[in-house]
Amino acid sequence: MDFSLTDEQQMIREAARQFADSELKPAAAELDKTGNRELLLGKLKQLAELGFMGINIDPDFGGTGAGTLAFSLAITELARGCASTATTTSVTNMVAEVIQAVGSDEHKNKYLPKLCSGEYAAGSFCLTEPGSGSDAAAMRTRALKEGDEYVLNGSKLFISSAEFAGIFVVWAVTDPDAPKGKGISCFLVEAGTPGLVIGRAEEKMGQKASVTNEVAFDNCRIPAANLLGEENKGFRIAAGELAGGRIGIGSLALGIGLEALDCARAYLQEREQFGKPLAHFQGLQWQLADRYTEMEAARLLLMQAAWQKDNGMPFGPAASMAKLFATEKANEACYVALQMHGGVGYTREYPLERMARDVRITTIYEGTSEIQRLIIARHLLDGVH
Ligand SMILES: Cc1cc2nc3c(=O)[nH]c(=O)nc-3n(C[C@H](O)[C@H](O)[C@H](O)COP(=O)(O)OP(=O)(O)OC[C@H]3O[C@@H](n4cnc5c(N)ncnc54)[C@H](O)[C@@H]3O)c2cc1C
């Protein structure tokens, strides 16, 4: 297998790395501490101008058209700088991909240029509800067809970027009598539509600058033309697009894990105890070797899933394996990297405590580790549920 990157992929990775070093790393601590919205929005706009909001979107619609592998490389580099910014970028790319995958020409022409150019600061993906997280098909938000409109009622929970998103991809039940998962449809809802109510932002453990809101639909009327794909066939859109999003979240976790380990590698060489640098203790050397090996394995799993997606192959189980492994191992990497810093790792003087908080959510959102195992096992044990 040829693992070498194309010139374009290398260029995108380099551009993301430079942006992370010059723009994100210096801002990450403030974003974490204050959640400074203007600062975040400024970074998102710059990222859009550099082509990072539609990495896998056709250039005809304003995207970069560079593919999933380039997307994965870019998100890893951005996450090295600031996980909050990388999450917002990853979810916005996923929203654009939903529109590209199942939207009509009108949808694509209307919304993709706005997402890719940064005219919309972000896109939101509205699936989770208070009563349905892992079991997303149990959602209760309703969409009732009335003439040439749908009327949406219900509420969504934990919606990334809802406060400043320009467009929302929303799942709702259109046939409550259908078997589970068969009566759900997917819609586009523009920000500012009457009845679309953005609720409070969650107070979170990490990724504090990436906003996570409740979203309610209170007799929210949208044109029937805002249906994405076919009526009652929306749940499979969610499943397919989440698989792509998981490559993004795995890549993001990899970036945080690698950055934490790089900090630890430097610290072990500068900090002395018992008369020599910590790097001389074999117990620490072996831990470092094991964690970097795991990060490399995660990188390869992510590249494989991205490559399968780019080549039109089934990639769901590979994306789940990559997300499961990358996010679990990145959490371990951050834990070990903080431990290697001793007491200072626990203080805000160093970025380790932020990384350890930021990485924690990656095993939870876009499908928990348990749900990834369920998807992988279903693939392995065809017919057993
Ligand atoms: C910061 C943040 C951002 C988010 N962004 C978005 C977003 O933009 N859009 C969106 O739609 N959602 C978003 N989410 C929601 C996220 O995807 C869900 O929180 C996640 O899917 C888990 O759902 P839950 O929280 O309801 O947990 P639950 O489903 O209640 O699960 C609780 C626990 O039970 C386990 N569990 C559940 N079912 C099984 C099973 N069958 N077997 C074994 N274990 C099981 C889970 O793995 C978990 O450990 C976000 C969440 C957070 C915290």
Side-chain angles (χ1 to χ4, degrees), residues 129-363:
E129 300 188 357
S132 57
S134 300
D135 187 11
M139 70 178 62
R140 299 181 64 178
T141 295
R142 278 283 274 135
L144 204 65
K145 193 154 187 205
E146 282 185 12
D148 57 0
E149 289 180 327
Y150 283 96
V151 186
L152 271 57
N153 277 292
S155 53
K156 300 284 178 182
L157 190 65
F158 298 143
I159 304 306
S160 299
S161 313
E163 263 173 59
F164 49 77
I167 190 74
F168 296 72
V169 175
V170 180
W171 280 266
V173 176
T174 33
D175 181 359
D177 300 323
K180 194 173 177 188
K182 305 278 185 202
I184 291 170
S185 303
C186 183
F187 300 96
L188 284 167
V189 181
E190 290 183 17
T193 304
L196 170 67
V197 185
I198 310 302
R200 68 182 177 91
E202 301 294 340
E203 287 186 27
K204 297 176 299 185
M205 170 184 179
Q207 300 202 4
K208 287 170 179 272
S210 76
V211 191
T212 315
N213 299 94
E214 289 180 3
V215 173
F217 300 92
D218 181 10
N219 284 319
C220 179
R221 289 182 174 273
I222 55 169
N226 283 20
L227 175 72
L228 275 174
E230 288 179 58
E231 199 179 58
N232 297 325
K233 295 200 174 149
F235 195 66
R236 71 169 75 143
I237 300 174
E241 295 306 321
L242 275 172
R246 285 171 188 146
I247 297 174
I249 300 306
S251 307
L252 187 143
L254 173 64
I256 308 173
L258 281 172
E259 188 62 24
L261 289 177
D262 284 356
C263 290
R265 185 153 57 122
Y267 190 76
L268 293 188
Q269 291 174 83
E270 88 196 28
R271 170 77 172 165
E272 291 192 9
Q273 288 293 282
F274 299 98
K276 51 188 170 185
L278 294 175
H280 288 238
F281 297 112
Q282 197 179 50
L284 300 179
Q285 290 175 5
W286 285 21
Q287 287 191 56
L288 202 63
D290 282 350
R291 300 289 92 81
Y292 269 104
T293 302
E294 286 163 358
M295 291 296 94
E296 274 316 300
R299 191 199 301 274
L300 292 176
L301 283 172
L302 287 160
M303 286 176 88
Q304 171 167 278
W307 179 81
Q308 289 179 353
K309 181 167 181 252
D310 281 340
N311 285 280
M313 298 157 71
F315 68 96
S320 285
M321 284 183 182
K323 186 198 185 248
L324 172 63
F325 190 80
T327 60
E328 292 288 344
K329 294 304 175 190
N331 267 276
E332 286 177 34
C334 289
Y335 181 93
V336 168
L338 191 154
Q339 185 74 14
M340 285 176 170
H341 281 73
V344 298
Y346 195 66
T347 71
R348 282 199 161 164
E349 207 180 313
Y350 283 76
L352 278 301
E353 62 85 29
R354 169 169 49 81
M355 292 168 183
R357 286 185 287 106
D358 283 350
V359 79
R360 187 63 189 86
I361 184 62
T362 61
T363 63

Side-chain angles (χ1 to χ4, degrees), residues 5-170:
L5 303 179
T6 63
D7 288 348
E8 185 186 40
Q9 288 162 348
Q10 285 182 49
M11 217 175 67
I12 288 172
R13 186 175 63 176
E14 194 48 41
R17 183 173 294 169
Q18 279 178 17
F19 189 82
D21 284 344
S22 63
E23 297 290 332
L24 298 182
K25 276 185 194 171
E30 188 191 337
L31 283 169
D32 175 59
K33 204 168 174 180
T34 66
N36 187 330
R37 183 64 46 81
E38 289 315 307
L39 187 58
L40 177 74
L41 291 177
K43 302 299 174 200
L44 296 178
K45 182 76 182 155
Q46 282 177 284
L47 282 167
E49 283 163 2
L50 289 167
F52 287 112
M53 288 302 176
I55 301 171
N56 195 23
I57 301 300
D58 194 323
D60 285 350
F61 302 112
T64 304
T68 314
L69 186 46
F71 165 69
S72 166
L73 296 167
I75 295 296
T76 296
E77 294 304 328
L78 296 179
R80 279 175 170 268
C82 172
S84 289
T85 312
T87 284
T88 314
T89 307
S90 183
V91 175
T92 299
N93 272 274
M94 181 166 65
V95 167
E97 285 209 32
V98 178
I99 298 172
Q100 173 164 268
V102 292
S104 64
D105 285 346
E106 201 186 330
H107 296 142
K108 293 185 214 174
N109 282 315
K110 187 167 179 192
Y111 299 114
L112 289 179
K114 290 182 180 172
L115 278 169
C116 296
S117 68
E119 184 178 336
Y120 287 158
S124 277
F125 189 93
C126 301
L127 185 68
T128 305
E129 300 188 357
S132 57
S134 300
D135 187 11
M139 70 178 62
R140 299 181 64 178
T141 295
R142 278 283 274 135
L144 204 65
K145 193 154 187 205
E146 282 185 12
D148 57 0
E149 289 180 327
Y150 283 96
V151 186
L152 271 57
N153 277 292
S155 53
K156 300 284 178 182
L157 190 65
F158 298 143
I159 304 306
S160 299
S161 313
E163 263 173 59
F164 49 77
I167 190 74
F168 296 72
V169 175
V170 180

